[in-house]
Amino acid sequence: MIVELGKNSHLTLDDLVAVARHSSPVIFSENYINRVQASRKLVEKWSEEERVMYGITTGFGVLCTEAISKEDTVELQRNIVLTHATSVGEPMPEEEVRAIMLMILQNTGLGYSGVRLETLELIRQCLNLGLTPFVPRDGSVGYLSVEGHIAVSLIGEEKIKFQGEWLDARVALEQAGLQPLILATKEGLALLNGATSPTALAALSLYDMLRAVKSADIIASMSLEVLKGTLRAFDEKVMNLKRHTQQSETAANIRKILADSNIAQSHIDHRLQDALSLRAIAQLHGAVKKTLADAKLTIENEMNSCSDNPVIMPDGDDGYAMSSCNCDAAYVGLEIDSASIATTMLAKMSERRNVRLIDGNLSGYPWFLVKKPGLNSGLMIPQYTQAGLLNEMKMLSMPAVVDNISTCGGQEDYVSMGYNAAKKAASIVSKLEYILAIELLSVYQAHQFMEKEYTAGSATQVVLNEIQKTVPVMDNDMYLYPHIMTIKDLIHHGVILDAVEAKIGKLA
């Protein structure tokens, strides 16, 4: 897959993940090149005329009243990059840095930033050749500092990872056949400003959330099946009484997954009513999907918007530079905070289903799904792990965007905190995948106790077969950590989802 920027203006979550996670190459369309060059010509013209333009011929933030001479504009751009690269802590995963670099290309390439094409070409080459700047992950309110570290690497300072090794940035660039940047007028500010980092991180996490909720449909259906729950709660007529499309679609997924399940069909009248963690799957999963769908629409809109400041507005042969605040990350922050809350709700139901699986009084199976409980602890303690993870998820689900700490001498007296909202989403979705993996491990283990006259559905069987390749059925206590990790990876990489959809068709 090749991702071509500017061919049409719509960059998708799939495009971003292809570049950030799977190293798909990036190319510039003719339209992209033309609009970048047209925007740059205006900046050079205005700079020569010594117009007063925020961040170009003035200082930044509260220092915007300080005039900068034409001779000092290049030094100004280098200075802003050096002093704004102040994030701290552990380095970001490579996929996060790559996602931000792609968003910088997308944002500045819309033709309202005034950067040179050769500057964007260097970023493109770094993506395509696998050069990843050193970017500490902590300490941003929504823009500037994280992007600052990327820019610092492009001018030859700090470190870049190349071919698996951290090198001096200048050395890494030269080994790849590239030259460090000398920033021109407006470029330092354009590389730093904008909601590029929160948008990039939110997009990565949201992609995983959207896949995880489909996997959760599968795993929840398998729990319903092995716990001999009734499908009556998912009747299409009942679903249509609520005017929520995602609820009806989730119920249809469950019916589809269990359509040929002898267990499910044989136990449709086993109980009059199941516990809510089984009976309300369609309602909760549907609500989560609605929230994630809203977030996807908003975040893809942000991905395709100009979030620079100031923006270069053409007007015939001339135009003007306008300072506003498209760099604000409120849209992204609000949506990804909401998505994180929804993801935590998905996890809390998964943990409750798992308790029903391992509790002998509720499941009808041996306690903790192991022969000779007492001598063996079986799957007792993975539920503790779920509890610990879920507690962390609840803490992380406190919305970041409701906080406010003024910066820049009061010039930025309101701050979105969209970056922290996006950053914590990655931790939340990862913990969800672990919680779902533990539920699925319990389902897998429970099937050894199912009466032989009952057979699982074909969708369930392909999942059980996939797990069986690497995870043994537990007869006696065994080391569980690697098996939890294996199943988590099957969920994260979409193996479970792909296997089921290959068997029964696409899920809604």
Side-chain angles (χ1 to χ4, degrees):
M1 177 180 179
I2 295 173
V3 175
E4 183 175 6
L5 298 182
K7 185 175 182 180
N8 58 58
S9 293
H10 194 69
L11 193 72
T12 66
L13 293 183
D14 287 342
D15 294 331
L16 182 138
V17 170
V19 173
R21 189 171 288 172
H22 305 300
S23 300
S24 292
V26 177
I27 61 174
F28 297 153
S29 69
E30 184 178 355
N31 183 42
Y32 183 100
I33 292 168
N34 289 341
R35 65 196 187 197
V36 166
Q37 291 176 333
S39 178
R40 182 63 199 173
K41 284 180 183 178
L42 289 176
V43 169
E44 291 175 350
K45 177 177 180 291
W46 300 339
S47 297
E48 193 62 31
E49 295 170 355
E50 297 192 68
R51 292 193 193 183
V52 176
M53 297 174 287
Y54 171 77
I56 302 173
T57 56
T58 74
F60 307 106
V62 76
L63 301 178
C64 64
T65 56
E66 299 293 326
I68 305 297
S69 70
K70 181 169 62 176
E71 292 75 24
D72 289 336
T73 55
V74 172
E75 183 179 355
L76 175 70
Q77 301 307 309
R78 177 177 171 82
N79 286 349
I80 188 178
V81 165
L82 292 174
T83 58
H84 284 53
T86 58
S87 292
V88 296
E90 294 298 314
M92 279 185 171
E94 289 186 47
E95 68 173 36
E96 293 185 354
V97 180
R98 290 177 59 82
I100 296 168
M101 292 168 72
L102 179 67
M103 285 312 309
I104 291 172
L105 288 181
Q106 173 73 352
N107 181 42
T108 54
L110 290 172
Y112 302 103
S113 295
V115 297
R116 295 170 300 163
L117 183 62
E118 52 262 45
T119 297
L120 303 184
E121 179 64 19
L122 177 61
I123 300 173
R124 187 182 77 87
Q125 290 288 0
C126 285
L127 281 172
N128 290 349
L129 297 172
L131 287 87
T132 306
F134 172 80
V135 182
R137 200 164 185 262
D138 299 334
S140 174
V141 298
Y143 43 66
L144 300 177
S145 56
V146 169
E147 289 84 352
H149 284 276
I150 293 173
V152 160
S153 294
L154 297 176
I155 67 173
E157 306 287 344
E158 247 305 333
K159 296 178 291 189
I160 289 177
K161 182 177 276 190
F162 182 49
Q163 297 178 342
E165 183 180 0
W166 285 111
L167 301 171
D168 177 83
R170 189 173 296 271
V171 171
L173 290 167
E174 289 174 355
Q175 284 191 9
L178 305 172
Q179 292 298 316
L181 274 178
I182 297 175
L183 294 168
T185 306
K186 175 71 165 66
E187 290 190 317
L189 182 59
L191 293 178
L192 304 186
N193 227 342
T196 48
S197 55
T199 303
L201 301 193
L204 281 172
S205 293
L206 183 60
Y207 177 89
D208 289 337
M209 291 172 179
L210 287 163
R211 287 168 68 88
V213 73
K214 280 193 176 184
S215 296
D217 281 359
I218 296 166
I219 296 164
S221 298
M222 293 173 67
S223 289
L224 179 75
E225 178 185 34
V226 81
L227 287 169
K228 302 173 182 175
T230 177
L231 281 170
R232 293 198 188 282
F234 306 95
D235 185 277
E236 185 176 7
K237 297 184 185 68
V238 175
M239 293 300 106
N240 289 339
L241 297 179
K242 268 207 167 183
R243 308 189 87 177
H244 299 300
T245 302
Q246 291 84 358
Q247 176 179 319
S248 295
E249 290 175 344
T250 302
N253 284 349
I254 293 168
R255 294 194 303 268
K256 186 175 184 178
I257 290 165
L258 299 179
D260 62 352
S261 168
N262 171 258
I263 302 171
Q265 300 305 325
S266 298
H267 291 87
I268 200 160
D269 294 318
H270 183 63
R271 295 187 197 93
L272 180 63
Q273 186 182 90
D274 287 313
L276 284 172
S277 60
L278 300 177
R279 180 164 36 110
I281 294 167
Q283 286 78 8
L284 174 59
H285 287 210
V288 171
K289 290 173 186 176
K290 170 64 165 60
T291 301
L292 299 185
D294 290 345
K296 182 175 186 286
L297 175 63
T298 299
I299 289 170
E300 285 193 340
N301 279 343
E302 187 70 35
M303 289 168 62
N304 292 283
S305 301
C306 176
S307 63
D308 200 356
N309 180 50
V311 291
I312 308 304
M313 302 296 292
D315 185 7
D317 293 332
D318 199 40
Y320 49 92
M322 180 175 288
S323 180
S324 65
C325 203
N326 276 0
C327 52
D328 180 72
Y331 278 102
V332 172
L334 273 169
E335 290 291 357
I336 201 63
D337 265 340
S338 298
S340 293
I341 292 168
T343 300
T344 299
M345 291 187 71
L346 201 66
K348 78 175 185 179
M349 183 180 269
S350 173
E351 184 272 338
R352 289 291 87 193
R353 287 192 299 265
N354 185 54
V355 167
R356 303 197 76 79
L357 287 161
I358 63 175
D359 186 326
N361 293 327
L362 298 174
S363 69
Y365 300 128
W367 273 92
F368 308 118
L369 299 172
V370 70
K371 298 171 183 175
K372 299 180 182 177
L375 177 63
N376 294 294
S377 296
L379 297 182
M380 177 196 295
I381 302 304
Q383 188 266 332
Y384 284 46
T385 305
Q386 284 185 316
L389 292 169
L390 192 52
N391 177 251
E392 285 189 80
M393 292 178 75
K394 291 172 183 176
M395 292 189 293
L396 290 169
S397 291
M398 168 66 185
V401 294
V402 299
D403 186 33
N404 192 69
I405 301 172
S406 295
T407 59
C408 199
Q411 182 75 355
E412 298 181 6
D413 54 349
Y414 145 80
V415 179
S416 74
M417 298 298 176
Y419 177 82
N420 282 339
K423 183 180 75 166
K424 66 188 178 68
S427 180
I428 284 175
V429 70
S430 179
K431 288 173 173 56
L432 169 66
E433 290 169 348
Y434 282 118
I435 287 171
L436 290 172
I438 289 169
E439 180 187 357
L440 185 51
L441 177 62
S442 294
V443 171
Y444 174 69
Q445 185 67 12
H447 270 277
Q448 71 169 311
F449 300 109
M450 177 61 67
E451 297 93 329
K452 298 303 180 186
E453 65 265 29
Y454 300 120
T455 55
S458 58
T460 294
Q461 198 57 56
V462 296
V463 176
L464 298 178
N465 291 345
E466 188 64 47
I467 297 171
Q468 193 174 24
K469 292 176 184 177
T470 49
V471 179
V473 171
M474 180 193 298
D475 289 320
N476 297 292
D477 280 354
M478 62 185 184
Y479 185 36
L480 292 172
Y481 167 79
H483 305 314
I484 295 170
M485 295 300 295
T486 294
I487 298 174
K488 193 263 192 188
D489 286 344
L490 293 176
I491 294 168
H492 180 72
H493 295 296
V495 176
I496 298 297
L497 178 59
D498 291 347
V500 169
E501 290 191 327
K503 185 68 177 178
I504 63 171
K506 289 288 185 182
L507 298 177

